[in-house]
Amino acid sequence: MTEHASPESVRRDVSGWLAANWDPGLSLREWRSLLCDSGWAVPHWPAQWFGRGLPAWSESIIAEEIRAHGAVGLPAGVGMSLAAPTILEHGSDQLKGAFLRATITGEYTWCQLFSEPGAGSDLAGLQTRAVRDGDEWVVNGQKVWNTSAHHADFGILMARTDTNAPKHAGITYFILPMKQPGVMVRPLKQMNYHSSFNEVFLTDARVPGDHVVGEVNKGWNVGLATLAHERRFGNIVSRWRHTGDGGRAVDEARHEHDEYMETYKWYPQRAGRVDLVVPQMTERGLSGDVSLRQDVMRLVSMQRIAGWTSERARAARALGKPPGAEGSVGKLAMSNIARLAAHLHGRIAGADALLSGPESVLGGIIAEVLVSVPGQSIAGGTDEIQHNILGERILGLPREPQ
Ligand SMILES: Cc1cc2nc3c(=O)[nH]c(=O)nc-3n(C[C@H](O)[C@H](O)[C@H](O)COP(=O)(O)OP(=O)(O)OC[C@H]3O[C@@H](n4cnc5c(N)ncnc54)[C@H](O)[C@@H]3O)c2cc1C
């Protein structure tokens, strides 16, 4: 199929399938099961694993057709963005069989258990230990900043399994069942008053012996694969595009989406709310401020350029090219845009930008921008780490001193 597929034939085939099979009266699980069995849920995955072995460009055509038919697609979140692609690339057939389908249907939800109090940028320094005990692994340690851990079924976990090996060589990548007595999840209160991430305490937590992704002590490269997906997609992808009524499957998908996205509702503010800069400048009568106009245009230009960089990355991906510098460049651009946007919101609103509550500027949105933007340049690898990656891997500069 792969050699003969063209965008036109893929569009025709999926459209025909949707016309014959989309049934809004089904439950969301029933509908996604049907989609999964048809191979159209993940067309770029191998046929053996719920896909059709189509090129990566097929994904966006299918998403467009699903929208055009008023149907619903895949669930948002860490499951489809990070866990499933990593298991597909590095997991055993047994793990693929156990986890991929239920992740595609949205039955299983996921979180990422990588960072620790003493290991963020230096992730390989992680101290959480996993020790083999009969048929199981027993895990002890603490993770932190784990988004959505408070409602996840499973965590993708990196833990140390060999304390004598060099730090990158003694790490294993596990799938941890979250709903068990050894896992305590404690939400953290952020400075913007949201609570999207958590501390996760692991005390004799149990992992089935075969829940290892890749090989024991070779989890570092598996973790890097997850991080590459994170740089490319961000750890959440909202695929929700529905408007209006649509029947049971749509209602359930809306509910699933709204519930999941509750955790992420401050993310637009984290990105700086560039969309509000010009309207706010106009509303406050500052459109004639020459210096402000220069900076606003700089912001808008940066945003356009970042958009083109991500288009270029998408096009390269669709052609099956390996990831280049775009992930790090794009992530840095998002940080710079968010910071400049927050600065301009501050200049436009003045001291009012500091107020929150119903009578403040835009009901507190601008204040939320100011306290949310720092998260943009930390999550998924800080700006400094992106600079290091670009310097060493793209520009070929000497490695930084350890
Ligand atoms: C919104 C948000 C969501 C997150 N979600 C998750 C999640 O779901 N799961 C998860 O596991 N983690 C998550 N994280 C954690 C995130 O991955 C870490 O915060 C990040 O990797 C930085 O680690 P750290 O906080 O320990 O900072 P540190 O690594 O301690 O860094 C402190 C400062 O030192 C600088 N620095 C460190 N090393 C170097 C170096 N080699 N060269 C130059 N500068 C350096 C950093 O840039 C930074 O400014 C999330 C973070 C945020 C903000």
Side-chain angles (χ1 to χ4, degrees), residues 196-263:
S196 61
F197 41 45
N198 306 272
E199 296 176 293
V200 176
F201 298 91
L202 304 167
T203 312
D204 291 335
R206 302 266 153 180
V207 177
D210 54 6
H211 278 30
V212 170
V213 185
E215 290 176 43
V216 173
N217 292 332
K218 296 203 174 145
W220 179 247
N221 282 337
V222 186
L224 289 186
T226 303
L227 294 174
H229 287 296
E230 186 167 4
R231 272 200 296 277
R232 256 185 285 168
F233 302 119
N235 68 350
I236 53 140
V237 180
S238 169
R239 296 181 168 89
W240 185 252
R241 300 281 186 279
H242 238 283
T243 49
D245 298 329
R248 180 173 174 194
V250 173
D251 290 345
E252 288 179 9
R254 181 180 293 114
H255 178 72
E256 173 197 80
H257 178 268
D258 290 350
E259 198 175 62
Y260 189 81
M261 294 309 287
E262 183 65 22
T263 302

Side-chain angles (χ1 to χ4, degrees), residues 138-300:
V138 179
V139 187
N140 282 285
Q142 188 198 334
K143 297 288 174 177
V144 72
W145 317 126
N146 311 112
T147 309
S148 281
H150 49 301
H151 40 61
D153 298 308
F154 292 95
I156 40 176
L157 167 79
M158 288 174 79
R160 188 158 300 285
T161 38
D162 184 346
T163 46
N164 296 319
K167 64 180 181 180
H168 291 87
I171 293 170
T172 302
Y173 192 116
F174 295 99
I175 295 175
L176 172 82
M178 294 291 288
K179 309 272 166 67
Q180 58 163 309
V183 177
M184 188 177 93
V185 179
R186 202 160 70 186
L188 289 164
K189 198 73 168 168
Q190 298 153 209
M191 68 177 172
N192 61 8
Y193 288 107
H194 292 277
S195 243
S196 61
F197 41 45
N198 306 272
E199 296 176 293
V200 176
F201 298 91
L202 304 167
T203 312
D204 291 335
R206 302 266 153 180
V207 177
D210 54 6
H211 278 30
V212 170
V213 185
E215 290 176 43
V216 173
N217 292 332
K218 296 203 174 145
W220 179 247
N221 282 337
V222 186
L224 289 186
T226 303
L227 294 174
H229 287 296
E230 186 167 4
R231 272 200 296 277
R232 256 185 285 168
F233 302 119
N235 68 350
I236 53 140
V237 180
S238 169
R239 296 181 168 89
W240 185 252
R241 300 281 186 279
H242 238 283
T243 49
D245 298 329
R248 180 173 174 194
V250 173
D251 290 345
E252 288 179 9
R254 181 180 293 114
H255 178 72
E256 173 197 80
H257 178 268
D258 290 350
E259 198 175 62
Y260 189 81
M261 294 309 287
E262 183 65 22
T263 302
Y264 301 99
K265 64 184 179 195
W266 59 281
Y267 274 42
Q269 280 68 266
R270 182 181 106 165
R273 294 306 301 261
V274 175
D275 59 315
L276 298 177
V277 170
V278 173
Q280 281 298 295
M281 179 169 79
T282 312
E283 195 176 311
R284 293 195 158 238
L286 293 170
S287 306
D289 182 320
V290 180
S291 148
L292 191 59
R293 286 167 66 110
Q294 288 293 324
D295 285 339
V296 169
M297 283 321 297
R298 188 154 62 88
L299 175 69
V300 172

Side-chain angles (χ1 to χ4, degrees), residues 112 114-115 120-121 145 147 197 270 378-379 382 384 388 400:
Q112 182 190 21
F114 284 13
S115 307
S121 303
W145 317 126
T147 309
F197 41 45
R270 182 181 106 165
I378 301 172
T382 66
E384 288 76 16
N388 286 349
E400 61 162 330

